[in-house]
Amino acid sequence: MSAKPDLKIVLCSPRGFCAGVVRAIDTVERALDKYGAPVYVRHEIVHNKYVVDGLKKKGAIFVEELAEIPENTTAPVVFSAHGVPKSVPSDAQSRNLFSLDATCPLVTKVHREAAIHFKRGREIFLIGHSHHPEVVGTLGQLPVGAVTLIETAEDAKTITPKNPDNLAFVTQTTLSIDDTAEIVALLKERFPNINGPHKEDICYATTNRQLAVKKVAPVVDALIVVGAPNSSNSQRLREVAEREGCKIAVLAQRATDIDWDKFGNITSLGITAGASAPEVIVEEIMDAFAERYTLHVETVSAAEENEFFPLPRQVRPEAAAE
């Protein structure tokens, strides 16, 4: 039996779950433990099929709109980590639904920034991707027309505000650092008085995972991003790898997604995972490569992460004792 070829695996650190995702998943699991099944979840709690399927098996029912939830239910309804328009909690309240808000606190921060700018009478730009649930939620915090979406550098070059001296911008939390910096620079060049966030809206987890990929992508033959096609932060990691010169940069939800023809002649492989992808799938993919190669594993780190976000009050452990 011929010896397996050697393969150097370079793991990006940090990778995988961020504090906001852990909080969102824990909210659904705690609600199931405390109140029993079913627990309704509006939209995928996070953009990861493995996570969603696991919660379905435990008794979570995923819906896209509250109208899909039966009348007079006493089951909890969880709002996903991406945030929701203001109309959703309002609708839940009018139907006497018991809701739990699992919106990531860093998304809530963007909502608050937009609300403050609106109160101060500013015209608001939102840098983000249309139809992404986070963007839909942020746009839905304010009256229609109060926020204008900017998706590309071209948009930033051509947008015509009503009052160029009374502007503000906020951003989606899961964007490319480089693309966003280019858009912000264009806006600041055109509108020097534009108000931006005191601290970056792009979240720490998105930033750190992109920085790790920037370190690893130039020194490996290929890079796999564990994540879902509809996960914004995972797609941005793949784009960053390509931009940094990695010739083979692919997204994989599971080991079964791997096109082995692409990986036939590599001697080094980078692996990372989007903020909504569990570590168990990283291990599954490494196991798949271990069947074909003798692995030599190292880790390249871009940052230390120790963020923690408390759960919604209704499902905190101490709430049981109240």
Side-chain angles (χ1 to χ4, degrees):
M1 188 175 171
S2 60
K4 290 186 284 190
D6 290 328
L7 179 66
K8 181 168 85 169
I9 298 267
V10 185
L11 293 173
C12 298
S13 177
R15 65 181 177 276
F17 283 175
C18 62
V21 163
V22 170
R23 176 181 184 269
I25 295 168
D26 283 354
T27 297
V28 179
E29 292 187 329
R30 289 284 181 88
L32 285 162
D33 287 345
K34 186 171 179 180
Y35 305 106
V39 167
Y40 292 95
V41 185
R42 186 188 178 279
H43 192 67
E44 293 184 347
I45 187 69
V46 296
H47 285 157
N48 186 274
K49 186 176 185 302
Y50 182 92
V51 170
V52 168
D53 287 349
L55 292 172
K56 281 180 182 174
K57 285 175 187 164
K58 294 178 182 177
I61 297 174
F62 290 85
V63 299
E64 282 306 307
E65 299 299 341
L66 297 186
E68 297 169 53
I69 298 171
E71 294 293 335
N72 303 318
T73 183
T74 57
V77 181
V78 181
F79 303 145
S80 80
H82 313 96
V84 293
K86 270 192 171 173
S87 59
V88 173
S90 174
D91 185 20
Q93 191 171 9
S94 70
R95 289 185 53 192
N96 291 317
L97 295 173
F98 169 43
S99 60
L100 298 166
D101 189 358
T103 301
C104 174
L106 299 178
V107 174
T108 302
K109 174 177 100 58
V110 176
H111 292 178
R112 289 194 185 121
E113 286 168 357
I116 289 167
H117 290 313
F118 182 70
K119 274 185 188 167
R120 292 177 179 167
R122 293 171 183 149
E123 189 176 343
I124 304 162
F125 297 150
L126 167 60
I127 302 168
H129 298 124
S130 68
H131 307 304
H132 188 279
E134 184 188 325
V135 166
V136 173
T138 301
L139 290 171
Q141 298 304 304
L142 296 171
V144 174
V147 183
T148 303
L149 186 63
I150 293 181
E151 296 193 77
T152 64
E154 191 57 35
D155 290 346
K157 289 175 189 171
T158 56
I159 195 154
T160 309
K162 298 180 193 76
N163 183 351
D165 291 321
N166 196 26
L167 299 174
F169 74 88
V170 294
T171 85
Q172 185 180 336
T173 63
T174 54
L175 299 175
S176 157
I177 310 166
D178 296 332
D179 289 347
T180 307
E182 180 189 4
I183 290 170
V184 168
L186 285 166
L187 290 174
K188 286 182 173 177
E189 186 184 331
R190 289 189 65 206
F191 314 113
N193 295 328
I194 194 167
N195 290 274
H198 294 297
K199 188 175 181 298
E200 279 278 5
D201 282 340
I202 295 177
C203 80
Y204 76 92
T206 297
T207 301
N208 292 344
R209 280 151 191 72
Q210 288 182 26
L211 291 175
V213 167
K214 283 186 174 190
K215 282 186 167 187
V216 171
V219 298
V220 292
D221 298 329
L223 187 137
I224 291 175
V225 179
V226 179
N230 61 339
S231 163
S232 174
N233 76 83
S234 299
Q235 288 284 15
R236 303 296 81 76
L237 292 173
R238 183 185 56 75
E239 291 169 3
V240 168
E242 287 176 345
R243 191 175 291 175
E244 294 298 318
C246 189
K247 290 185 174 62
I248 304 167
V250 300
L251 207 59
Q253 296 197 77
R254 301 295 300 268
T256 48
D257 293 344
I258 296 169
D259 177 356
W260 292 104
D261 291 341
K262 285 187 177 176
F263 297 93
N265 300 311
I266 63 170
T267 59
S268 57
L269 173 70
I271 302 179
T272 189
S276 48
E279 184 66 13
V280 66
I281 304 181
V282 173
E283 293 165 4
E284 176 186 286
I285 285 172
M286 287 179 66
D287 287 345
F289 275 92
E291 289 175 11
R292 294 162 173 82
Y293 295 91
T294 298
L295 303 188
H296 305 275
V297 182
E298 62 181 70
T299 298
V300 169
S301 181
E304 289 290 319
E305 287 183 356
N306 50 20
E307 279 76 8
F308 167 78
F309 298 139
L311 291 167
R313 187 184 52 77
Q314 304 98 313
V315 290
R316 286 180 200 165
E318 63 268 25
E322 287 173 11

